[in-house]
Amino acid sequence: MTATTTLTRTAPDISCEHCANAITGALSAIEGVSAVSVDVDKKRVDVEYDAAAATDQQIDAALEEEGYPPLR
């Protein structure tokens, strides 16, 4: 059994449900990511993932690629 890690990022450019859907789709495509939650009002992204399969850097890069650079 693998341990799940939770990563929280703030992405100031999140402004709508379209943003949330784009982020959810991009992060869900990363191997090892098991859950993505986007709070549009708080501009917050929570990601649950298997640290043996994915990294913080991969998650941050996917956010940046979608146009939502996270604050670290």
Side-chain angles (χ1 to χ4, degrees), residues 14-39:
I14 298 172
S15 62
C16 64
E17 285 304 313
H18 172 72
C19 300
N21 291 336
I23 290 167
T24 299
L27 297 183
S28 295
I30 299 172
E31 184 176 340
V33 171
S34 56
V36 178
S37 173
V38 180
D39 186 320

Side-chain angles (χ1 to χ4, degrees), residues 30-70:
I30 299 172
E31 184 176 340
V33 171
S34 56
V36 178
S37 173
V38 180
D39 186 320
V40 174
D41 293 331
K42 293 181 181 176
K43 302 183 182 303
R44 177 177 151 160
V45 180
D46 295 309
V47 185
E48 291 183 16
Y49 66 99
D50 175 0
T55 66
D56 293 4
Q57 292 82 11
Q58 284 176 298
I59 292 166
D60 289 343
L63 283 168
E64 289 180 29
E65 189 170 306
E66 284 300 312
Y68 306 98

